[in-house]
Amino acid sequence: MSADTVKIGAVELKKTAALAPMAGVADRAYRIMCKKFGAAYVVSEMVSAKGICYSDRKTAGLCTITPEERPMAIQLFGSEPEFMAKAVDIVLRYEPDIIDINMGCPVPKVVNTSAGSALMKDVDLAAEITSAAVKAAGEVPVTVKIRSGWNSESINAVMFAKALEKAGASAIAVHGRTREQYYSGEADISVIKDVKEAVRIPVIGNGDVNDLRSCLDMYEKTGCDLVMIGRGSYGNPFVFREIEAYFNGEEYVPPTLEEKMQVMLEHIRLILSLSEKSEELAMHEARKHAAWYMNGYYGSAKFRGCCYQLSSYDEAVRLAEEFIRLQRSRNLC
Ligand SMILES: Cc1cc2nc3c(=O)[nH]c(=O)nc-3n(C[C@H](O)[C@H](O)[C@H](O)COP(=O)(O)O)c2cc1C
Protein backbone atom coordinates (compact mmCIF):
# COMPACT_ATOMS: atom_id res chain seq x y z
CA MET A 1 0.00 0.00 0.00
CA SER A 2 1.22 3.49 -0.62
CA ALA A 3 -0.05 6.77 0.78
CA ASP A 4 -2.86 8.65 -0.99
CA THR A 5 -1.90 11.79 -2.83
CA VAL A 6 -3.09 15.37 -2.93
CA LYS A 7 -2.70 17.75 -5.86
CA ILE A 8 -1.61 21.35 -5.51
CA GLY A 9 -2.06 22.71 -9.00
CA ALA A 10 -0.49 20.00 -11.14
CA VAL A 11 1.96 18.98 -8.39
CA GLU A 12 1.09 15.62 -6.88
CA LEU A 13 2.16 15.17 -3.26
CA LYS A 14 2.03 12.25 -0.85
CA LYS A 15 -0.76 12.81 1.66
CA THR A 16 1.58 12.30 4.62
CA ALA A 17 3.19 15.37 6.23
CA ALA A 18 5.13 18.30 4.81
CA LEU A 19 7.93 20.33 6.39
CA ALA A 20 6.90 23.87 7.42
CA PRO A 21 9.03 26.86 6.48
CA MET A 22 11.26 27.88 9.38
CA ALA A 23 13.65 30.80 8.96
CA GLY A 24 16.95 30.14 10.70
CA VAL A 25 16.17 26.43 11.11
CA ALA A 26 14.85 24.71 7.97
CA ASP A 27 17.82 25.49 5.74
CA ARG A 28 18.96 23.29 2.87
CA ALA A 29 20.63 20.67 5.07
CA TYR A 30 17.53 20.46 7.28
CA ARG A 31 15.21 20.18 4.30
CA ILE A 32 17.30 17.44 2.72
CA MET A 33 17.24 15.45 5.97
CA CYS A 34 13.45 15.81 6.35
CA LYS A 35 12.86 14.94 2.71
CA LYS A 36 15.09 11.88 3.01
CA PHE A 37 13.00 10.71 5.97
CA GLY A 38 9.74 11.12 4.04
CA ALA A 39 8.47 14.72 4.13
CA ALA A 40 5.81 15.15 1.42
CA TYR A 41 7.37 18.44 0.35
CA VAL A 42 9.50 21.14 1.90
CA VAL A 43 9.39 24.94 1.93
CA SER A 44 12.31 27.39 1.81
CA GLU A 45 12.99 29.87 4.57
CA MET A 46 11.06 33.06 3.87
CA VAL A 47 12.66 35.35 1.30
CA SER A 48 11.93 39.06 1.00
CA ALA A 49 10.21 39.91 -2.30
CA LYS A 50 11.68 43.40 -2.22
CA GLY A 51 15.12 42.08 -1.29
CA ILE A 52 15.07 39.84 -4.35
CA CYS A 53 14.08 42.73 -6.59
CA TYR A 54 17.05 44.71 -5.32
CA SER A 55 19.24 41.64 -5.98
CA ASP A 56 19.98 40.89 -2.37
CA ARG A 57 23.19 38.82 -2.15
CA LYS A 58 21.44 36.15 -0.08
CA THR A 59 18.80 35.36 -2.71
CA ALA A 60 20.61 32.64 -4.64
CA GLY A 61 21.56 30.83 -1.45
CA LEU A 62 17.99 30.90 -0.17
CA CYS A 63 16.29 29.98 -3.44
CA THR A 64 18.53 27.36 -5.01
CA ILE A 65 16.83 23.97 -5.01
CA THR A 66 18.75 20.70 -5.08
CA PRO A 67 17.15 17.55 -6.55
CA GLU A 68 17.11 15.96 -3.06
CA GLU A 69 14.73 18.65 -1.79
CA ARG A 70 12.03 18.36 -4.44
CA PRO A 71 9.15 18.88 -4.44
CA MET A 72 9.92 22.22 -2.85
CA ALA A 73 8.20 25.57 -2.46
CA ILE A 74 10.01 28.91 -2.35
CA GLN A 75 8.34 31.18 0.18
CA LEU A 76 8.17 34.93 -0.39
CA PHE A 77 7.02 37.70 1.89
CA GLY A 78 6.13 41.24 0.94
CA SER A 79 3.37 43.81 1.00
CA GLU A 80 3.51 45.30 -2.48
CA PRO A 81 1.85 43.47 -5.39
CA GLU A 82 4.31 44.87 -7.97
CA PHE A 83 7.36 43.68 -6.01
CA MET A 84 5.69 40.33 -5.39
CA ALA A 85 5.06 39.83 -9.11
CA LYS A 86 8.62 40.82 -9.98
CA ALA A 87 10.03 38.58 -7.24
CA VAL A 88 7.98 35.63 -8.51
CA ASP A 89 9.33 36.25 -11.98
CA ILE A 90 12.89 36.22 -10.61
CA VAL A 91 12.52 33.09 -8.47
CA LEU A 92 11.01 31.14 -11.37
CA ARG A 93 14.56 30.73 -12.64
CA TYR A 94 15.18 28.40 -9.67
CA GLU A 95 12.29 26.25 -10.94
CA PRO A 96 10.31 25.94 -7.70
CA ASP A 97 7.58 23.29 -7.71
CA ILE A 98 5.36 25.69 -5.74
CA ILE A 99 5.55 29.37 -4.77
CA ASP A 100 4.26 30.13 -1.29
CA ILE A 101 3.38 33.55 0.12
CA ASN A 102 3.93 34.17 3.81
CA MET A 103 0.91 35.82 5.41
CA GLY A 104 1.50 34.35 8.85
CA CYS A 105 4.84 35.61 10.11
CA PRO A 106 4.36 37.43 13.44
CA VAL A 107 7.79 39.03 13.90
CA PRO A 108 7.88 42.85 14.11
CA LYS A 109 10.60 43.13 11.44
CA VAL A 110 8.16 41.64 8.91
CA VAL A 111 4.84 42.87 10.33
CA ASN A 112 6.11 46.46 10.51
CA THR A 113 6.50 46.42 6.73
CA SER A 114 2.80 45.39 6.47
CA ALA A 115 3.86 41.91 5.35
CA GLY A 116 3.47 38.48 6.99
CA SER A 117 0.53 38.25 9.37
CA ALA A 118 -0.11 42.02 9.09
CA LEU A 119 -1.79 41.18 5.78
CA MET A 120 -4.53 39.40 7.70
CA LYS A 121 -5.74 42.90 8.59
CA ASP A 122 -6.02 43.87 4.93
CA VAL A 123 -7.78 41.21 2.91
CA ASP A 124 -7.99 43.36 -0.23
CA LEU A 125 -4.23 43.90 -0.31
CA ALA A 126 -3.64 40.22 0.48
CA ALA A 127 -5.85 39.23 -2.46
CA GLU A 128 -4.08 41.72 -4.75
CA ILE A 129 -0.68 40.32 -3.78
CA THR A 130 -1.90 36.77 -4.37
CA SER A 131 -3.41 37.63 -7.70
CA ALA A 132 -0.21 39.40 -8.82
CA ALA A 133 1.85 36.36 -7.80
CA VAL A 134 -0.51 33.94 -9.54
CA LYS A 135 -0.36 35.92 -12.75
CA ALA A 136 3.44 36.05 -12.66
CA ALA A 137 3.83 32.37 -11.71
CA GLY A 138 2.13 30.98 -14.83
CA GLU A 139 1.88 27.20 -14.49
CA VAL A 140 3.58 27.12 -11.07
CA PRO A 141 0.96 26.89 -8.31
CA VAL A 142 0.87 29.65 -5.70
CA THR A 143 -0.06 28.75 -2.12
CA VAL A 144 -0.53 31.08 0.84
CA LYS A 145 0.31 30.38 4.48
CA ILE A 146 -1.93 32.18 6.96
CA ARG A 147 -2.82 32.25 10.66
CA SER A 148 -6.28 32.04 12.22
CA GLY A 149 -6.38 35.84 12.41
CA TRP A 150 -4.59 38.88 13.79
CA ASN A 151 -5.90 38.55 17.35
CA SER A 152 -8.69 36.85 19.29
CA GLU A 153 -11.12 39.63 18.30
CA SER A 154 -10.44 39.16 14.61
CA ILE A 155 -10.43 35.46 13.74
CA ASN A 156 -10.96 35.83 10.01
CA ALA A 157 -9.17 32.86 8.41
CA VAL A 158 -12.37 31.65 6.68
CA MET A 159 -13.21 34.92 4.95
CA PHE A 160 -9.51 35.47 4.22
CA ALA A 161 -8.99 32.02 2.69
CA LYS A 162 -12.07 32.44 0.49
CA ALA A 163 -10.70 35.73 -0.84
CA LEU A 164 -7.33 34.13 -1.59
CA GLU A 165 -8.99 31.20 -3.33
CA LYS A 166 -10.83 33.69 -5.51
CA ALA A 167 -7.53 35.46 -6.20
CA GLY A 168 -6.15 32.22 -7.63
CA ALA A 169 -4.33 30.51 -4.75
CA SER A 170 -3.91 26.76 -5.34
CA ALA A 171 -3.85 25.83 -1.63
CA ILE A 172 -3.95 27.48 1.78
CA ALA A 173 -1.85 26.44 4.76
CA VAL A 174 -3.45 27.46 8.07
CA HIS A 175 -1.56 27.75 11.36
CA GLY A 176 -4.25 27.68 14.04
CA ARG A 177 -2.89 30.58 16.09
CA THR A 178 -3.41 34.31 15.88
CA ARG A 179 -0.56 36.75 15.38
CA GLU A 180 -1.11 37.92 18.95
CA GLN A 181 -0.39 34.39 20.19
CA TYR A 182 2.90 34.08 18.32
CA TYR A 183 3.77 30.47 19.23
CA SER A 184 2.24 30.37 22.72
CA GLY A 185 -0.79 28.46 23.93
CA GLU A 186 -2.33 25.73 21.85
CA ALA A 187 -3.17 25.89 18.17
CA ASP A 188 -6.94 26.06 17.60
CA ILE A 189 -7.49 23.49 14.92
CA SER A 190 -11.23 24.15 14.68
CA VAL A 191 -10.33 27.17 12.51
CA ILE A 192 -8.60 24.83 10.07
CA LYS A 193 -11.77 22.72 9.87
CA ASP A 194 -13.82 25.86 9.18
CA VAL A 195 -11.47 26.89 6.39
CA LYS A 196 -11.56 23.39 4.90
CA GLU A 197 -15.35 23.50 4.80
CA ALA A 198 -15.35 26.93 3.16
CA VAL A 199 -12.96 26.47 0.21
CA ARG A 200 -12.53 23.98 -2.62
CA ILE A 201 -8.73 24.19 -2.90
CA PRO A 202 -6.57 21.96 -0.69
CA VAL A 203 -6.10 23.07 2.91
CA ILE A 204 -2.90 22.30 4.79
CA GLY A 205 -3.26 21.98 8.57
CA ASN A 206 -0.45 23.30 10.74
CA GLY A 207 0.23 23.78 14.43
CA ASP A 208 1.56 21.54 17.22
CA VAL A 209 1.84 18.34 15.20
CA ASN A 210 4.86 16.43 16.49
CA ASP A 211 4.10 12.73 16.10
CA LEU A 212 1.83 10.27 14.32
CA ARG A 213 -0.96 10.66 16.85
CA SER A 214 -1.17 14.44 16.57
CA CYS A 215 -0.89 14.16 12.78
CA LEU A 216 -3.85 11.77 12.60
CA ASP A 217 -5.74 14.05 14.97
CA MET A 218 -5.14 16.97 12.62
CA TYR A 219 -6.40 14.95 9.63
CA GLU A 220 -9.44 13.59 11.48
CA LYS A 221 -10.56 16.72 13.32
CA THR A 222 -10.11 19.16 10.46
CA GLY A 223 -10.55 17.09 7.28
CA CYS A 224 -7.45 18.89 5.94
CA ASP A 225 -5.76 17.64 2.78
CA LEU A 226 -2.22 17.65 4.10
CA VAL A 227 -0.48 18.21 7.44
CA MET A 228 2.53 20.47 7.91
CA ILE A 229 5.10 20.05 10.70
CA GLY A 230 7.49 22.68 12.00
CA ARG A 231 9.00 22.43 15.49
CA GLY A 232 8.04 18.78 15.89
CA SER A 233 10.83 17.97 13.43
CA TYR A 234 13.59 19.59 15.53
CA GLY A 235 16.25 16.87 15.83
CA ASN A 236 13.48 14.54 14.70
CA PRO A 237 13.30 13.91 10.96
CA PHE A 238 12.06 10.47 12.10
CA VAL A 239 8.60 11.99 12.57
CA PHE A 240 8.23 11.95 8.77
CA ARG A 241 9.31 8.31 8.61
CA GLU A 242 6.75 7.36 11.25
CA ILE A 243 3.92 9.15 9.43
CA GLU A 244 4.89 7.83 6.02
CA ALA A 245 5.17 4.26 7.33
CA TYR A 246 1.66 4.50 8.75
CA PHE A 247 0.14 5.72 5.49
CA ASN A 248 2.08 3.11 3.50
CA GLY A 249 0.73 0.42 5.83
CA GLU A 250 4.26 -0.47 6.92
CA GLU A 251 5.59 -1.25 10.34
CA TYR A 252 7.40 1.66 11.95
CA VAL A 253 10.65 0.98 13.74
CA PRO A 254 11.55 3.90 16.03
CA PRO A 255 15.18 4.99 15.87
CA THR A 256 17.59 3.61 18.44
CA LEU A 257 19.87 6.08 20.19
CA GLU A 258 22.71 4.85 17.97
CA GLU A 259 20.70 5.66 14.85
CA LYS A 260 19.76 9.07 16.22
CA MET A 261 23.41 9.89 16.81
CA GLN A 262 24.36 8.61 13.34
CA VAL A 263 21.65 10.78 11.79
CA MET A 264 22.76 13.74 13.88
CA LEU A 265 26.32 13.30 12.58
CA GLU A 266 25.02 12.92 9.01
CA HIS A 267 23.06 16.16 9.46
CA ILE A 268 26.19 17.93 10.73
CA ARG A 269 28.27 16.61 7.81
CA LEU A 270 25.63 17.95 5.45
CA ILE A 271 25.66 21.38 7.11
CA LEU A 272 29.46 21.48 6.82
CA SER A 273 29.51 20.32 3.22
CA LEU A 274 26.87 22.85 2.12
CA SER A 275 28.40 25.78 3.99
CA GLU A 276 30.88 28.15 2.45
CA LYS A 277 32.13 29.04 5.92
CA SER A 278 35.06 27.50 7.79
CA GLU A 279 34.35 24.31 9.77
CA GLU A 280 34.42 26.25 13.01
CA LEU A 281 31.90 28.86 11.86
CA ALA A 282 29.65 26.29 10.17
CA MET A 283 29.65 24.33 13.43
CA HIS A 284 27.97 27.33 15.07
CA GLU A 285 25.00 26.65 12.80
CA ALA A 286 25.14 22.92 13.53
CA ARG A 287 25.15 23.29 17.33
CA LYS A 288 21.44 23.76 17.92
CA HIS A 289 20.59 20.87 15.63
CA ALA A 290 23.02 18.59 17.45
CA ALA A 291 21.44 19.60 20.78
CA TRP A 292 17.92 18.86 19.52
CA TYR A 293 18.85 15.27 18.60
CA MET A 294 19.76 14.69 22.28
CA ASN A 295 16.45 15.90 23.69
CA GLY A 296 14.56 13.68 26.07
CA TYR A 297 17.40 11.48 27.40
CA TYR A 298 19.02 11.10 30.80
CA GLY A 299 21.54 13.88 31.35
CA SER A 300 20.65 15.51 28.05
CA ALA A 301 20.61 19.03 29.53
CA LYS A 302 24.35 18.79 30.25
CA PHE A 303 25.05 17.29 26.83
CA ARG A 304 23.01 19.93 25.08
CA GLY A 305 25.15 22.49 26.88
CA CYS A 306 28.24 20.73 25.45
CA CYS A 307 26.72 20.91 21.96
CA TYR A 308 26.78 24.68 22.21
CA GLN A 309 30.59 24.52 22.61
CA LEU A 310 31.22 22.31 19.56
CA SER A 311 33.71 23.75 17.11
CA SER A 312 34.62 20.75 14.95
CA TYR A 313 33.03 17.62 13.50
CA ASP A 314 35.47 15.39 15.41
CA GLU A 315 34.29 16.92 18.67
CA ALA A 316 30.70 16.11 17.68
CA VAL A 317 31.66 12.47 17.03
CA ARG A 318 33.31 12.23 20.45
CA LEU A 319 30.32 13.85 22.15
CA ALA A 320 27.90 11.45 20.45
CA GLU A 321 30.01 8.48 21.59
CA GLU A 322 30.13 9.79 25.14
CA PHE A 323 26.37 10.35 25.11
CA ILE A 324 25.74 6.76 23.97
CA ARG A 325 28.15 5.45 26.64
CA LEU A 326 26.30 7.34 29.34
CA GLN A 327 22.90 5.99 28.29
CA ARG A 328 24.31 2.43 28.08
CA SER A 329 25.91 2.69 31.50
CA ARG A 330 22.48 3.36 32.92
CA ASN A 331 20.84 0.70 30.77
CA LEU A 332 18.85 3.41 29.05
CA CYS A 333 19.42 2.19 25.54
C1 LIG B 1 12.09 29.21 14.15
C2 LIG B 1 10.86 29.36 13.33
C3 LIG B 1 10.92 30.01 12.10
C4 LIG B 1 9.78 30.14 11.31
N1 LIG B 1 9.87 30.74 10.09
C5 LIG B 1 8.80 30.78 9.27
C6 LIG B 1 8.91 31.27 7.94
O1 LIG B 1 9.98 31.63 7.46
N2 LIG B 1 7.75 31.32 7.20
C7 LIG B 1 6.54 30.91 7.70
O2 LIG B 1 5.53 30.97 6.98
N3 LIG B 1 6.43 30.42 8.94
C8 LIG B 1 7.52 30.34 9.72
N4 LIG B 1 7.41 29.79 10.97
C9 LIG B 1 6.12 29.22 11.40
C10 LIG B 1 6.06 27.71 11.10
O3 LIG B 1 6.10 27.48 9.71
C11 LIG B 1 4.78 27.08 11.68
O4 LIG B 1 3.68 27.72 11.12
C12 LIG B 1 4.70 27.20 13.19
O5 LIG B 1 5.92 26.87 13.80
C13 LIG B 1 3.59 26.30 13.76
O6 LIG B 1 3.81 24.95 13.41
P1 LIG B 1 4.47 23.89 14.44
O7 LIG B 1 3.64 23.90 15.68
O8 LIG B 1 4.42 22.59 13.70
O9 LIG B 1 5.86 24.37 14.72
C14 LIG B 1 8.53 29.66 11.77
C15 LIG B 1 8.47 29.03 13.02
C16 LIG B 1 9.60 28.86 13.79
C17 LIG B 1 9.49 28.16 15.11
Side-chain angles (χ1 to χ4, degrees), residues 1 144 169 182:
M1 188 174 108
V144 186
Y182 267 66

Side-chain angles (χ1 to χ4, degrees), residues 20-23 25 44-46 75 100 102 104-105 145 147 175 177 183 206-209 228-232 234:
M22 288 188 287
V25 173
S44 75
E45 300 172 83
M46 61 179 164
Q75 188 188 64
D100 185 54
N102 179 333
C105 181
K145 185 159 172 286
R147 285 190 171 234
H175 174 196
R177 282 189 178 81
Y183 297 100
N206 170 240
D208 300 346
V209 174
M228 183 173 259
I229 300 179
R231 294 161 298 169
Y234 283 3

Side-chain angles (χ1 to χ4, degrees), residues 50-72:
K50 211 166 189 172
I52 287 184
C53 296
Y54 288 118
S55 53
D56 186 328
R57 269 189 314 115
K58 287 187 289 187
T59 305
L62 288 168
C63 297
T64 302
I65 302 177
T66 57
E68 297 93 321
E69 292 165 276
R70 291 188 187 278
M72 172 164 156

